[in-house]
Amino acid sequence: MIGVVVTAFAVLGLLTVIPGPDMAVVTRAGLSGGRGAALRATFGVVAGLMVWGALTVVGLGAVLAASAEAYTVVKIVGGMYLVYLGLSTLWRSRSRQRTAAAEPAPVPSPGSNWRAGFLTNLLNPKIAVFYTGLLPQLVPPGWPTAPTLALLVLVHGLLGIAWLGAYSLLLTRARTTLEKPSVRRVLDRITGTVLFGFGAVVVAEAR
């Protein structure tokens, strides 16, 4: 039984640390507003996970995962949102270059960082597929399904906070280097391209 629980936690941990749109959104927030902004994006990401987790526990996540039309719509909307985030980040790097010798480039509002993290996960139907397809397989034999699924979702959220929170701290520790205009422009362009790429792939897969 202990081995089953350890395996479940290991799978959730692996899924947490694999780089994806979540990390790119946290990077985007950290580059624009520092550790506070990155942490707000982190909590937005986890809030999105909690919504999908709640839907899975009550069975609605399986409905979406089983509906090709609904899945495609959410996938296209989510992909377009990532494309938007990527393009806005690339535009910000242009603005930063133009204003390097004048005033600083505009900084996104605190709420926008949380919202970006939240929508990135809320509009990611692959999470619904994971929660409805793989998560039930991690429930140890004999354990009540709904409460255990809720526990696994909570563990996944806590792992996300720990991982992305530590990553936010690393971004802050490197702030002296990251605040150099040339470095910020390069990182903005890399982050924007990554977000745009994730979004483009999602939209292409949905067609």
Side-chain angles (χ1 to χ4, degrees):
M1 184 65 67
I2 294 179
V4 175
V5 174
V6 171
T7 299
F9 282 21
V11 170
L12 292 175
L14 180 61
L15 290 169
T16 300
V17 301
I18 293 176
D22 294 352
M23 184 170 287
V25 168
V26 171
T27 301
R28 177 181 184 270
L31 292 177
S32 64
R35 182 172 62 178
L39 288 176
R40 283 187 287 273
T42 294
F43 283 108
V45 165
V46 174
L49 285 177
M50 294 299 102
V51 171
W52 280 117
L55 292 175
T56 299
V57 171
V58 300
L60 296 180
V63 174
L64 175 61
S67 171
E69 294 79 8
Y71 182 84
T72 299
V73 169
V74 175
K75 200 169 186 179
I76 290 176
V77 174
M80 292 301 296
Y81 183 68
L82 290 177
V83 168
Y84 161 75
L85 288 180
L87 290 176
S88 64
T89 304
L90 292 171
W91 179 257
R92 186 177 68 197
S93 72
R94 271 179 68 95
S95 300
R96 195 179 302 282
Q97 185 172 13
R98 291 198 306 267
T99 59
E103 59 186 43
V107 176
S109 65
S112 68
N113 294 310
W114 185 92
R115 188 164 53 250
F118 178 69
L119 290 177
T120 296
N121 259 354
L122 189 66
L123 297 175
N124 185 358
K126 290 184 178 180
I127 297 176
V129 173
F130 161 67
Y131 275 178
T132 59
L134 178 59
L135 205 63
Q137 308 303 317
L138 301 180
V139 176
W143 288 35
T145 302
T148 304
L149 284 175
L151 176 62
L152 291 173
V153 170
L154 178 61
V155 169
H156 193 199
L158 292 175
L159 289 173
I161 291 174
W163 172 250
L164 293 176
Y167 177 65
S168 301
L169 181 60
L170 289 176
L171 283 177
T172 303
R173 291 288 178 86
R175 190 169 184 175
T176 301
T177 300
L178 296 180
E179 283 187 339
K180 295 179 179 179
S182 59
V183 175
R184 291 287 293 273
R185 288 195 299 271
V186 170
L187 290 176
D188 274 342
R189 289 168 184 170
I190 293 174
T191 304
T193 301
V194 169
L195 285 168
F196 180 88
F198 275 126
V201 169
V202 170
V203 172
E205 288 178 347
R207 297 181 62 183

